Amino acid sequence: MPIDPTRPYDDDNIFARILRDEIPSKRVYEDEWAIAFHDINPQARLHILVIPRGKYVSWDDFAAKANDEEIGGFIRAVANVAREHDLVQPGYRLLANVGHDGGQEVPHLHVHLFGGQRLGPMIAR
């Protein structure tokens, strides 16, 4: 069920539990700002989720509350994951869902990184 990105952070959301190692994940990247792991329901040949270590509900929450160091570290982490998976050329897609209409289902900021194949149109009409 899509979530309200303005609600308070929920410490029991699945990504918070993954960060605490309460739920296993197939991690592919980790640094002081973020972790990245394979999506359990991949929508492309390569589908990795990148999440910040901080408690942010959505991209909007992160942009409003994170400090510059956290923002820079997270964005660099996303780029590092793409480079480490040789996606820069031929290309990849990033997606961050925000709120109900955006289809956000987990109340922790996460960026989907898709690649490993030619991707179709951004939004099917």
Side-chain angles (χ1 to χ4, degrees):
M1 157 138 311
I3 60 103
D4 175 358
T6 63
R7 77 181 194 188
Y9 186 81
D10 173 10
D11 280 313
D12 287 325
N13 77 72
I14 191 168
F15 294 157
R17 296 180 67 206
I18 287 171
L19 281 165
R20 293 191 303 263
D21 292 321
E22 294 174 3
I23 297 175
S25 63
K26 188 175 175 189
R27 292 186 185 190
V28 296
Y29 180 87
E30 193 165 356
D31 68 14
E32 67 184 293
W33 306 110
I35 68 167
F37 51 92
H38 289 280
D39 192 292
I40 62 170
N41 185 25
Q43 302 298 304
R45 192 169 297 136
L46 182 70
H47 184 174
I48 294 172
L49 298 173
V50 186
I51 64 174
R53 290 189 181 273
K55 297 179 178 186
Y56 300 103
V57 174
S58 66
W59 188 267
D60 182 71
D61 186 38
F62 182 68
K65 297 177 184 170
N67 64 44
D68 291 348
E69 195 173 17
E70 286 177 289
I71 292 170
F74 181 68
I75 290 172
R76 282 187 188 91
V78 173
N80 286 340
V81 172
R83 280 193 302 276
E84 288 180 2
H85 287 81
D86 297 319
L87 296 176
V88 175
Q89 187 54 259
Y92 60 95
R93 179 175 296 154
L94 299 175
L95 173 70
N97 299 316
V98 178
H100 184 271
D101 282 1
Q104 184 178 2
E105 294 178 352
V106 178
H108 185 107
L109 168 61
H110 54 287
V111 172
H112 297 260
L113 189 152
F114 302 103
Q117 68 185 69
R118 179 150 172 79
L119 301 168
M122 285 191 3
I123 298 175
R125 293 185 182 244

